[in-house]
């Protein structure tokens, strides 16, 4: 009888271990997005010409006054110039470019890293508008240090989404993906990849969109299908943006 009981226990343990070993691991498929990038730096140089005064790039508000002073001096002297300033966007990166061409025309260029707002790569755009003059702007971080006076009609110079190609990458092991515990049980989750250990439950299939190209921060959806579950990348979203 004792041998029979021990045999039954061993059989149960063997079955339990087999069940745990056969449980499928968590998986992830990354949304891969490629496009021809919009570079406002290259476009500003192209618009101003190589001989224009380079007033620099004010990446921080502390540098704005130096850039603005250079622009005003070159403009007063009737010289071509180019300048860039990084502004504080709400949910995307904003860069303003200022140009005076050899013919005396002034232009403001505007870069938005994500025209639909939020996360995701290959959604940047650069537009251009003519300015009768460039005035003194805001000294605060919420405004631009220069203003485009009497602006003309705004024109698009570059849209990354016109060359954007989107596809689902191969199925991978998700053991290095860690998601916000507050999202446990939800279909949509905020996650990070490249961690020492993941916390995605076994058997969970994720499809994840990196916030930036190659970045660690992820927007993930529990999905095992072949469709890309992010509306901002859907064709109908493209048509809505075109209609604006």
């Amino acid at each position: 009888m004792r041998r029979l009981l021990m045999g039954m226990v061993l059989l149960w343990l063997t079955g339990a271990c087999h069940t745990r070993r056969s449980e499928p691991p968590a998986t992830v498929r990354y949304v891969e997005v490629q496009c021809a990038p919009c570079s406002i730096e290259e476009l500003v140089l192209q618009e101003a010409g190589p001989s224009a005064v380079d007033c620099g790039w004010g990446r921080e508000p502390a540098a704005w006054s130096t850039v603005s002073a250079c622009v005003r001096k070159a403009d007063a002297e009737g010289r071509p110039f180019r300048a860039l300033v990084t502004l504080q966007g709400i949910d995307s990166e904003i860069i303003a470019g200022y140009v005076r061409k050899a013919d005396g025309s002034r232009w403001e260029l505007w870069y938005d890293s994500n025209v639909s707002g939020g996360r995701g790569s290959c959604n940047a755009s650069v537009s251009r508008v003519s300015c009768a003059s460039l005035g003194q702007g805001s000294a605060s971080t919420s405004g631009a240090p220069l203003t485009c006076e009497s602006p003309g009609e705004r024109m698009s110079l570059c849209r990354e989404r016109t060359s954007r190609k989107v596809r689902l990458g191969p199925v991978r092991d998700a053991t290095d993906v860690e998601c916000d515990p507050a999202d446990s049980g939800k279909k949509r989750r905020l996650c990070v990849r490249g961690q020492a250990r993941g916390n995605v439950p076994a058997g969970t299939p994720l499809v994840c969109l990196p916030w930036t190209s190659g970045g660690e921060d992820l927007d993930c959806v529990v999905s095992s299908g072949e469709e890309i579950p992010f509306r901002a990348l859907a064709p109908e979203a493209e048509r809505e943006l075109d209609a604006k």
Side-chain angles (χ1 to χ4, degrees):
M1 184 68 177
R2 184 176 180 182
R3 288 183 178 179
L4 179 61
L5 288 174
M6 290 182 65
M8 292 176 66
V9 171
L10 288 172
L11 183 62
W12 179 84
L13 289 173
T14 301
C17 290
H18 178 73
T19 300
R20 285 196 294 269
R21 285 197 300 268
S22 64
E23 191 173 17
T27 60
V28 60
R29 298 183 73 178
Y30 294 111
V31 179
E32 299 174 355
V33 184
Q34 295 181 329
C35 64
C38 290
S39 171
I40 188 172
E41 187 174 18
E42 292 180 4
L43 289 169
V44 161
L45 177 59
Q46 177 181 313
E47 293 286 310
S51 61
V53 176
D54 184 3
C55 288
W57 189 334
R59 299 178 186 272
E60 301 292 338
W64 288 359
S65 59
T66 301
V67 172
S68 299
C70 175
V71 166
R72 290 196 297 272
K73 182 175 184 297
D75 197 30
E77 294 173 353
R79 302 170 64 192
F81 60 78
R82 65 180 187 272
L84 291 162
V85 291
T86 300
L87 306 176
Q88 182 177 331
I90 297 175
D91 53 10
S92 60
E93 181 184 23
I94 302 296
I95 303 172
Y98 302 98
V99 167
R100 175 173 174 142
K101 296 186 177 185
D103 63 6
S105 62
R106 303 170 186 85
W107 301 85
E108 178 189 73
L109 281 71
W110 197 263
Y111 170 90
D112 188 334
S113 67
N114 198 325
V115 293
S116 60
R119 309 168 185 122
S121 56
C122 284
N123 205 22
S125 72
V126 179
S127 60
R128 180 187 73 172
V129 63
S130 62
C131 308
S133 61
L134 293 173
Q136 181 67 43
S138 172
S140 70
T141 58
S142 60
L146 295 165
T147 59
C148 179
E149 304 293 340
S150 301
E153 183 179 356
R154 186 167 295 277
M155 299 173 56
S156 174
L157 293 180
C158 180
R159 290 185 179 183
E160 289 182 347
R161 61 189 179 83
T162 59
S163 64
R164 189 167 64 188
K165 295 180 180 179
V166 184
R167 76 179 189 94
L168 274 178
V171 177
R172 301 175 182 271
D173 193 307
T175 53
D176 67 340
V177 177
E178 183 177 347
C179 300
D180 188 339
D183 295 337
S184 178
K186 296 180 181 178
K187 184 175 181 180
R188 192 153 188 167
R189 308 173 184 185
L190 296 179
C191 308
V192 180
R193 66 176 166 184
Q195 302 301 302
R197 59 182 180 82
N199 64 353
V200 183
T204 304
L206 292 179
V207 174
C208 296
L209 174 66
W211 292 11
T212 58
S213 180
E216 295 181 355
D217 294 320
L218 307 169
D219 192 357
C220 297
V221 175
V222 178
S223 174
S224 57
E226 290 296 319
E227 293 186 0
I228 297 174
F230 297 98
R231 188 182 179 280
L233 299 176
E236 56 268 25
E238 299 290 308
R239 290 191 289 270
E240 288 177 8
L241 286 173
D242 287 335
K244 293 181 178 180

